Amino acid sequence: MGASASREKFRESVSALIEVDVSADDADFWDELWKIPSNAEEVFELIPPHAARRLRDERFDNLATLFTQATAQLCQIVET
């Protein structure tokens, strides 16, 4: 996947988090999200403040699941 395709896929995933309820059990969605190559600068660029606020205000459960999933990913990295 090229850089522009990765960025677009990440944008689509963030849009999905804002627009629809994503279950914590939706392994396909979360696995795909973590497979998208990105770095911290890209994440902050691709999730602008207004999108983060919308996610917080409109889909708080998705935001909580995102944090839980991110923490699980970090734990997995540390353990390997």
Side-chain angles (χ1 to χ4, degrees):
M1 185 181 299
S4 63
S6 296
R7 292 170 64 89
E8 184 58 33
K9 183 64 180 163
F10 189 82
R11 273 193 194 103
E12 290 171 6
S13 296
V14 170
S15 291
L17 285 172
I18 293 170
E19 300 298 327
V20 298
D21 292 328
V22 179
S23 170
D25 298 327
D26 187 349
D28 291 337
F29 177 86
W30 296 108
D31 289 346
E32 188 66 31
L33 179 66
W34 300 122
K35 290 178 184 174
I36 300 170
S38 58
N39 59 42
E41 290 148 356
E42 289 176 324
V43 170
F44 283 104
E45 179 184 325
L46 295 171
I47 306 176
H50 73 276
R53 284 189 288 276
R54 269 191 76 198
L55 181 57
R56 178 198 65 201
D57 295 342
E58 298 175 20
R59 303 281 181 204
F60 186 80
D61 288 345
N62 284 355
L63 179 62
T65 301
L66 176 64
F67 288 151
T68 302
Q69 292 285 336
T71 302
Q73 289 294 315
L74 289 172
C75 289
Q76 187 176 23
I77 290 168
V78 169
E79 292 173 357
T80 58

